[in-house]
């Protein structure tokens, strides 16, 4: 008998695009509409914050929402996916305008977080990294030396 995959293992993003392809398509989209003039980093950051607000409205008044969104209608799921996409698109455009290699920055940040939150020390805890005391720093240094 093959064990069924957990919900975390069963879900995957499609491989239909890359962040680079999104970046390029967004640049073309803005160029075709002569919107590049409006896409200063500040403007993009503020527009993204507005979209994050719209994303949060999808969850407003729902209490805790379980993984997989049980009980959500197709309309609610579609609305959520559109708001998530808006945030991602603004984030990609902002990173382009700031000349930040977003995939590289994300991987670098994940590596930093792994050092700040050594799995052996923080497993099952939601405390912030500075609440672990000096053992966190020495554990992170020891894992980095491996």
């Amino acid at each position: 008998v093959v064990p069924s995959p957990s919900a975390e293992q069963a879900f995957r993003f499609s491989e239909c695009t890359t962040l680079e392809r999104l970046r390029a398509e967004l640049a073309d989209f803005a160029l075709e509409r002569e919107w590049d003039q409006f896409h200063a980093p500040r403007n993009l950051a503020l527009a993204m914050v507005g979209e994050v607000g719209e994303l949060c409205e999808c969850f407003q008044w729902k209490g805790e929402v379980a993984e997989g969104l049980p009980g959500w209608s197709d309309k609610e799921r579609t609305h959520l996916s559109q708001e998530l996409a808006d945030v991602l698109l603004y984030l990609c455009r902002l990173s382009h305008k700031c000349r930040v290699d977003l995939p590289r920055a994300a991987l670098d940040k994940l590596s930093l977080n792994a050092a700040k939150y050594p799995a052996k020390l923080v497993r099952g805890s939601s405390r912030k990294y500075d609440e672990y005391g000096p053992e966190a720093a020495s554990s992170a240094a020891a894992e980095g030396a491996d």
Side-chain angles (χ1 to χ4, degrees), residues 125-144:
S125 174
S126 63
R127 291 185 298 167
K128 191 164 168 62
Y129 69 93
D130 60 359
E131 297 178 52
Y132 289 101
E135 68 272 12
S138 61
S139 177
E143 283 194 12

Side-chain angles (χ1 to χ4, degrees), residues 16-94:
C16 62
T17 195
T18 65
L19 288 178
E20 172 53 26
R21 183 170 166 203
L22 285 177
R23 185 209 58 77
E25 288 189 29
L26 283 164
D28 290 345
F29 183 89
L31 193 62
E32 289 171 358
R33 289 156 181 79
E34 297 182 0
W35 286 354
D36 201 57
Q37 61 185 317
F38 307 117
H39 288 185
R42 178 184 172 275
N43 292 342
L44 292 167
L46 292 174
M48 184 174 63
V49 167
E51 294 300 338
V52 168
E54 291 180 24
L55 170 62
C56 290
E57 286 177 354
C58 295
F59 295 97
Q60 191 172 17
W61 316 122
K62 292 188 181 288
E64 284 302 316
V65 176
E67 183 176 343
L69 311 176
W72 281 41
S73 68
D74 287 344
K75 181 178 179 181
E76 289 172 314
R77 289 171 183 274
T78 297
H79 184 212
L80 175 64
S81 68
Q82 290 171 350
E83 297 306 336
L84 285 165
D86 284 340
V87 172
L88 176 63
L89 294 173
Y90 273 115
L91 182 61
C92 286
R93 188 72 173 139
L94 177 59

Side-chain angles (χ1 to χ4, degrees), residues 1-3 6 13 16 21 27 40 46 53 70 85 94 99 101-102 109 125 129 143 145:
V1 175
V2 177
S6 70
F13 290 140
C16 62
R21 183 170 166 203
L46 292 174
L94 177 59
R99 301 298 191 258
D101 180 350
L102 189 57
K109 182 62 177 176
S125 174
Y129 69 93
E143 283 194 12

Side-chain angles (χ1 to χ4, degrees), residues 102-123:
L102 189 57
R104 178 79 267 148
L107 291 173
D108 289 348
K109 182 62 177 176
L110 187 56
S111 180
L112 286 172
N113 285 346
K116 277 169 68 172
Y117 296 97
K120 293 176 191 171
L121 182 64
V122 304
R123 187 169 285 112

